[in-house]
Amino acid sequence: MADTKAPAAQATPAAKSPAQARAAKSIALRRARELALVPALLLLMLLGTLVNDSFLTERNLISILGASAALAMVVLAESLVLITGKFDLSLESVVGIAPAVGALLVLPAAQAGFGTQMPAVVALLAILVVGAVIGAFNGILVVKLKLNAFIVTLAMLIVLRGLLVGATEGKTLFGMPDAFYTLATSTFLTIPLSVWLAAAAFGIAGFVLKYHRVGRALYAIGGNADAARAAGIRVERVMLGVFVVAGVLAALGGLMQTGYVGAINANQGQNMIFTVFAAAVIGGISLDGGKGTMFGALTGVLLLGVVQNLLTLAQVPSFWIQAIYGGIILVALMIARVTTGRAQD
């Protein structure tokens, strides 16, 4: 009589090796870390209803989204750079200098402008060009000249901050054309255009990272640049493009911030990079490169937006908010150490 159990035994899949099991566990932990922010957001919103009756009102929720739009664009920019394994600290200064250049081009000399009084559309284009040029310059120094990204972009942060103060003479710029405020003041379905633009940018970036070869190239470069190069990926070109895109996104974030505040001052964007890193890190973007998703980064932005709104409603002094953000970064780094199972350089 034939042995009917033999085929069933042969069909049994082989047990996973220890290495495969560890890899599967690491992936599961990273996904759980990103998704863990969703219940955290819901918990904070529940807390918000207990802190203040106006928290869950439509007006307040839209206010949170509007206030977070500029931050979201800069977090998106930083996340793309971090995925490639690099840093760009100068993005906070781009948030200030890019829209300031546009404003100076349209304002008359009597209002601290250059006196050129260019059309608004030219000035808006100049804002994006400034962001792209700064990003390209950073990319050349980091990618082509092989300089340390942290030091280079820190130096650029300081240089650009000084240029902003010098160009504006420390004054606050206001009275720009309505086009400078449109993203923050115009709405669609009662939600500011800046929020829709940020959502679209995250959606496009998420699609590219997941389904497009450019997105796969970013992860490959962040994971192992030499292996990516050996696989035929043009590492230098891709990384240079990422720095340029990051600069443009930060410039757009600066324009959103200008519309939200209604003016540009010499401190615009100052210390923003700490909040940016907090949102990216708690959202699962790895500082080692090659890991992270746009969904995680976006939930990080929303979490910090809700936290800031709660602290504001609770009348917590602003300087404590920075301390809390710092604590959030430390906790996120410790969680990242546990989920990845390896030390961070």
Side-chain angles (χ1 to χ4, degrees):
M1 185 175 179
D3 185 3
T4 57
K5 294 182 179 180
Q10 292 175 359
T12 302
K16 290 184 178 180
S17 66
Q20 290 175 325
R22 286 195 298 269
K25 182 180 179 181
S26 178
I27 292 172
L29 285 172
R30 286 199 299 270
R31 288 176 178 173
R33 180 184 168 202
E34 293 172 358
L35 295 176
L37 292 184
V38 176
L41 271 171
L42 296 176
L43 182 62
L44 282 173
M45 294 182 73
L46 177 61
L47 179 62
T49 60
L50 301 176
V51 172
N52 195 301
D53 293 337
S54 64
F55 177 79
L56 275 184
T57 60
E58 179 183 357
R59 180 178 180 181
N60 187 61
L61 293 178
I62 292 177
S63 175
I64 294 174
L65 294 176
S68 302
L71 174 64
M73 297 299 287
V74 186
V75 169
L76 172 57
E78 191 67 62
S79 296
L80 294 175
V81 177
L82 287 173
I83 287 174
T84 65
K86 299 298 182 182
F87 293 85
D88 192 347
L89 303 179
S90 68
L91 292 178
E92 75 162 37
S93 291
V94 176
V95 170
I97 190 69
V101 169
L104 292 169
L105 288 173
V106 298
L107 291 176
Q111 291 181 255
F114 291 147
T116 53
Q117 295 182 265
M118 291 186 175
V121 64
V122 175
L124 294 177
L125 180 61
I127 292 173
L128 302 182
V129 170
V130 169
V133 169
I134 294 172
F137 185 71
N138 286 335
I140 290 172
L141 294 179
V142 173
V143 178
K144 298 295 185 182
L145 299 184
K146 309 296 182 183
L147 300 181
N148 182 277
F150 185 89
I151 302 301
V152 165
T153 57
L154 176 62
M156 282 297 294
L157 181 154
I158 299 170
V159 169
L160 295 174
R161 181 64 57 190
L163 289 175
L164 176 59
V165 174
T168 61
E169 298 179 353
K171 299 176 182 178
T172 298
L173 304 178
F174 54 90
M176 285 82 73
D178 291 341
F180 276 72
Y181 313 114
T182 298
L183 288 177
T185 57
S186 297
T187 61
F188 176 70
L189 300 178
T190 71
I191 297 176
L193 293 181
S194 58
V195 176
W196 291 110
L197 179 58
F202 268 89
I204 293 171
F207 178 84
V208 170
L209 287 174
K210 190 170 184 179
Y211 299 108
H212 198 274
R213 58 186 178 84
V214 173
R216 293 191 291 271
L218 295 187
Y219 285 117
I221 292 169
N224 189 323
D226 292 332
R229 191 177 289 107
I233 297 174
R234 297 181 177 180
V235 174
E236 286 74 19
R237 178 179 293 185
V238 172
M239 291 182 64
L240 183 59
V242 168
F243 274 99
V244 173
V245 170
V248 172
L249 290 173
L252 267 174
L255 184 60
M256 292 178 181
Q257 185 72 12
T258 298
Y260 184 77
V261 175
I264 303 172
N265 60 57
N267 295 323
Q268 179 157 306
Q270 189 167 5
N271 296 328
M272 188 181 195
I273 199 64
F274 301 118
T275 309
V276 168
F277 269 94
V281 171
I282 66 175
I285 304 296
S286 174
L287 297 180
D288 296 324
K291 298 182 183 70
T293 65
M294 291 302 99
F295 176 78
L298 181 58
T299 53
V301 172
L302 294 175
L303 185 71
L304 290 188
V306 171
V307 168
Q308 183 168 16
N309 185 261
L310 280 175
L311 295 175
T312 301
L313 291 176
Q315 298 183 342
V316 175
S318 60
F319 51 81
W320 284 114
I321 295 177
Q322 292 297 325
I324 291 171
Y325 283 170
I328 290 174
I329 294 177
L330 290 176
V331 172
L333 288 174
M334 288 186 282
I335 294 174
R337 175 67 178 88
V338 173
T339 55
T340 58
R342 63 176 182 174
Q344 295 173 337
D345 297 327

